[in-house]
Amino acid sequence: YLVEVRLDDKTAGRPIAAVSDLVLLAFDKRRGWQRRAHFVETAPGRYRAMLDATPPVGRVELLVSSASQDLPFSAGRVGAIERSAP
């Protein structure tokens, strides 16, 4: 799965560029499964991470974190991937 996010400084009204420590945490809280991936910047304030695998079924929560931006995982929920049995 390709995960893309955009970081904006809402006060200044501009993208937050050059964040080198942005990390994706994907986890399934019911199964204990988790993966982390580092984001790369694709344009000013736009970042992309590749999630190489997910469980075959279930809900995978997606969170981002950056120490340099004082953004903990608990404040960085960006969505979820829902997979059901065929």
Side-chain angles (χ1 to χ4, degrees):
Y1 286 91
L2 183 64
V3 179
E4 296 178 306
V5 297
R6 190 175 87 196
L7 296 182
D8 290 316
D9 182 334
K10 292 184 180 186
T11 305
R14 64 177 184 252
I16 301 173
V19 178
S20 62
D21 64 347
L22 192 62
V23 176
L24 171 70
L25 170 62
F27 71 96
D28 180 338
K29 63 184 174 185
R30 289 195 166 82
R31 292 172 180 82
W33 177 93
Q34 67 175 285
R35 294 284 188 280
R36 292 178 192 245
H38 290 275
F39 282 93
V40 294
E41 191 169 23
T42 59
R46 294 187 181 270
Y47 300 86
R48 179 180 293 169
M50 181 60 76
L51 189 57
D52 59 359
T54 63
V57 296
R59 182 178 178 88
V60 176
E61 299 292 333
L62 302 174
L63 309 173
V64 298
S65 176
S66 167
S68 69
Q69 299 301 307
D70 195 26
L71 175 64
F73 284 121
S74 61
R77 185 177 188 281
V78 294
I81 299 169
E82 187 79 41
R83 298 188 65 188
S84 56

